């Protein structure tokens, strides 16, 4: 259950990053709506990260934060490509994949200990 909470929290991290981007591209009242969305997403994301690190089978803080951050980073890059027409370059995808590989590797070595 904690892993599900962590994954959902990571998705809300993507939500708060994208909300900031949308606020930058907005004006007037729409800016405030995006900032409210940001506040809601960051609150939910942090709460779910907190919950994932507790309970019966807590996820260690280092692993939880790395996975949460990676989900948010990967989701933000993907949404940036889809919503903001950010470029898809070889190096961008290369380093994004090394991030994912590193987090998976961290999980593998963490569970061995």
């Amino acid at each position: 259950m904690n892993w599900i909470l962590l994954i959902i929290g990571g998705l809300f991290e993507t939500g708060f990053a994208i909300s900031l981007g949308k606020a930058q591209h907005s004006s007037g009242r729409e800016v405030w709506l995006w900032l409210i969305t940001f506040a809601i997403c960051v609150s939910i994301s942090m709460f779910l990260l907190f919950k994932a690190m507790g309970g019966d089978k807590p996820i260690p803080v280092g692993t939880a934060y790395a996975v949460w951050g990676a989900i948010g980073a990967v989701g933000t890059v993907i949404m940036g490509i889809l919503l903001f027409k950010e470029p898809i370059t070889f190096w961008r995808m290369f380093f994004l994949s090394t991030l994912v590989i590193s987090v998976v590797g961290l999980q593998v070595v963490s569970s061995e200990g």
Side-chain angles (χ1 to χ4, degrees), residues 1-16 41-54 57-73 75 103-104 106-107 110:
M1 183 63 169
N2 286 355
W3 282 102
I4 293 169
L5 295 175
L6 187 64
I7 291 167
I8 296 169
L11 295 174
F12 274 98
E13 183 188 4
T14 297
F16 77 71
C41 285
V42 77
S43 298
I44 293 169
S45 181
M46 293 291 176
F47 177 74
L48 292 174
L49 174 61
F50 167 76
K51 292 299 281 182
M53 293 187 299
K57 293 185 179 183
I59 301 170
V61 66
T63 302
Y65 187 78
V67 170
W68 174 82
I71 291 168
V103 170
V104 169
L106 177 64
Q107 177 56 29
S110 293

Side-chain angles (χ1 to χ4, degrees), residues 14 66 69-81 86-104:
T14 297
I71 291 168
V74 170
T76 301
V77 169
I78 291 169
M79 294 306 290
I81 290 167
E86 292 176 357
I88 304 171
T89 65
F90 169 79
W91 289 112
R92 232 175 150 203
M93 295 302 111
F94 173 78
F95 287 116
L96 193 62
S97 65
T98 61
L99 172 65
V100 171
I101 291 166
S102 296
V103 170
V104 169

